[in-house]
């Protein structure tokens, strides 16, 4: 990572161009997660973001809340720590004003190595159970690809799912499987009616990482050997 911050009231703000897609990341608390946004304005050393949404409403935030903002860039995303200053609900687009609180860094587009993972495993839709008690059930999912940060999978499911919905999953590693809470980062319905779900690991036991790392290393080694073969 390369620090691009500078001294002064506008330190790092210019690295977040107006109009760029952005992510607002909350590290702790009830609303921990990553939320889609957009850079709407820059003023007085602050960044105005399109107020992140949560389940159809504005994401609850509070003054001086510590968070992180990541914006797209033509070369690679820019990331900076920030604190919430205020909300502005009077503008045509509700705004969330944040002040950059540390150096702005350029980060890799893909934080984790991702490999194919065509394995079956079970998932339980936590949000569906919350919306309609006793209606949830364990479902069969098929992995598409995997990294240390999350897993992409497909499943047959007739009900609506949304970005930020959570699943309890039993990943197909180890003797008894690895329990994990998966938070959806993307969901689309395919031409054949399946749901294609990108997810991040919101919670996963520390001891389980060795199984995932071993799987990724084996897949990458096999891939390299295949590329090196005559």
């Amino acid at each position: 990572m390369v620090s691009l911050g500078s001294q002064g009231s506008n330190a790092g703000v210019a690295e977040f161009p107006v109009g760029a897609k952005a992510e607002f990341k909350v590290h702790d608390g009830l609303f921990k997660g990553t939320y889609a946004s957009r850079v709407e304005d820059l003023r007085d050393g602050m960044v105005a973001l399109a107020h992140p949404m949560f389940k159809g409403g504005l994401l609850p935030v509070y003054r001086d809340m510590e968070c992180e903002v990541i914006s797209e860039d033509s070369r690679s995303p820019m990331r900076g720590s920030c604190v919430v200053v205020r909300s502005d609900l009077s503008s045509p687009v509700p705004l969330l004003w944040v002040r950059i609180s540390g150096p702005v860094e350029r980060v890799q587009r893909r934080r984790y190595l991702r490999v194919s993972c065509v394995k079956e495993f079970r998932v339980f839709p936590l949000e569906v159970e919350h919306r309609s008690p006793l209606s949830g059930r364990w479902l069969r999912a098929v992995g598409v690809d995997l990294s240390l940060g999350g897993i992409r999978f497909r499943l047959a499911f007739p009900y609506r799912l949304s970005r930020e919905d959570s699943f309890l999953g039993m990943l197909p590693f180890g003797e008894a499987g690895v329990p994990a809470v998966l938070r959806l980062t993307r969901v689309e319905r395919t031409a054949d009616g399946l749901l294609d779900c990108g997810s991040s690991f919101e919670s996963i036991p520390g001891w389980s990482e060795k199984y995932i790392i071993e799987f990724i290393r084996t897949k990458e080694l096999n891939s390299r050997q295949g590329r090196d073969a005559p």
Side-chain angles (χ1 to χ4, degrees), residues 16-93:
F16 298 97
V18 173
K21 292 182 180 179
E23 292 182 342
F24 180 77
K25 189 169 186 178
V26 180
H27 293 284
D28 301 296
L30 181 63
F31 299 101
K32 175 182 177 181
T34 301
Y35 304 89
S37 184
R38 180 184 175 93
V39 178
E40 297 290 345
D41 197 1
L42 305 175
R43 190 183 307 167
D44 300 327
M46 296 186 293
V47 178
L49 302 172
H51 203 300
M53 306 295 288
F54 179 77
K55 298 186 182 303
L58 298 180
L59 175 72
V61 296
Y62 55 86
R63 186 181 176 87
D64 295 329
M65 178 179 179
E66 296 183 354
C67 47
E68 188 175 73
V69 60
I70 303 170
S71 75
E72 289 190 358
D73 183 81
S74 58
R75 290 173 292 173
S76 58
M78 308 302 298
R79 179 177 68 186
S81 298
C82 58
V83 293
V84 172
V85 177
R86 60 185 171 87
S87 294
D88 180 2
L89 307 184
S90 63
S91 61
V93 176

Side-chain angles (χ1 to χ4, degrees), residues 18-216:
V18 173
K21 292 182 180 179
E23 292 182 342
F24 180 77
K25 189 169 186 178
V26 180
H27 293 284
D28 301 296
L30 181 63
F31 299 101
K32 175 182 177 181
T34 301
Y35 304 89
S37 184
R38 180 184 175 93
V39 178
E40 297 290 345
D41 197 1
L42 305 175
R43 190 183 307 167
D44 300 327
M46 296 186 293
V47 178
L49 302 172
H51 203 300
M53 306 295 288
F54 179 77
K55 298 186 182 303
L58 298 180
L59 175 72
V61 296
Y62 55 86
R63 186 181 176 87
D64 295 329
M65 178 179 179
E66 296 183 354
C67 47
E68 188 175 73
V69 60
I70 303 170
S71 75
E72 289 190 358
D73 183 81
S74 58
R75 290 173 292 173
S76 58
M78 308 302 298
R79 179 177 68 186
S81 298
C82 58
V83 293
V84 172
V85 177
R86 60 185 171 87
S87 294
D88 180 2
L89 307 184
S90 63
S91 61
V93 176
L95 299 178
L96 179 64
W97 287 90
V98 301
R99 188 179 301 280
I100 303 302
S101 58
V104 176
E105 301 171 323
R106 192 178 300 283
V107 297
Q108 297 178 4
R109 287 190 178 275
R110 186 173 289 277
R111 186 175 178 183
Y112 303 105
L113 175 67
R114 186 170 292 272
V115 298
S116 63
C117 176
V118 185
K119 284 178 170 286
E120 290 188 9
F121 62 101
R122 295 183 301 147
V123 293
F124 186 90
L126 297 174
E127 302 297 336
V128 171
E129 180 65 17
H130 176 73
R131 290 191 290 260
S132 180
L134 303 180
S135 65
R137 65 184 189 278
W138 284 96
L139 305 169
R140 170 184 171 272
V142 179
V144 177
D145 53 45
L146 169 81
S147 77
L148 276 173
I151 186 169
R152 177 183 164 207
F153 60 92
R154 291 182 176 178
L155 76 161
F157 193 56
Y159 302 110
R160 179 182 60 84
L161 291 175
S162 303
R163 191 172 183 267
E164 299 297 329
D165 279 358
S166 297
F167 281 84
L168 175 62
M170 289 298 296
L171 304 181
F173 303 106
E175 295 182 0
V178 171
V181 177
L182 313 174
R183 184 175 290 276
L184 296 187
T185 57
R186 180 185 58 79
V187 57
E188 298 176 356
R189 195 167 290 277
T190 64
D192 54 2
L194 298 177
L195 286 176
D196 187 284
C197 304
S199 72
S200 61
F201 295 143
E202 182 175 276
S203 177
I204 192 168
W207 54 263
S208 67
E209 285 192 356
K210 66 178 182 180
Y211 295 110
I212 299 176
I213 291 172
E214 181 181 359
F215 179 84
I216 291 175

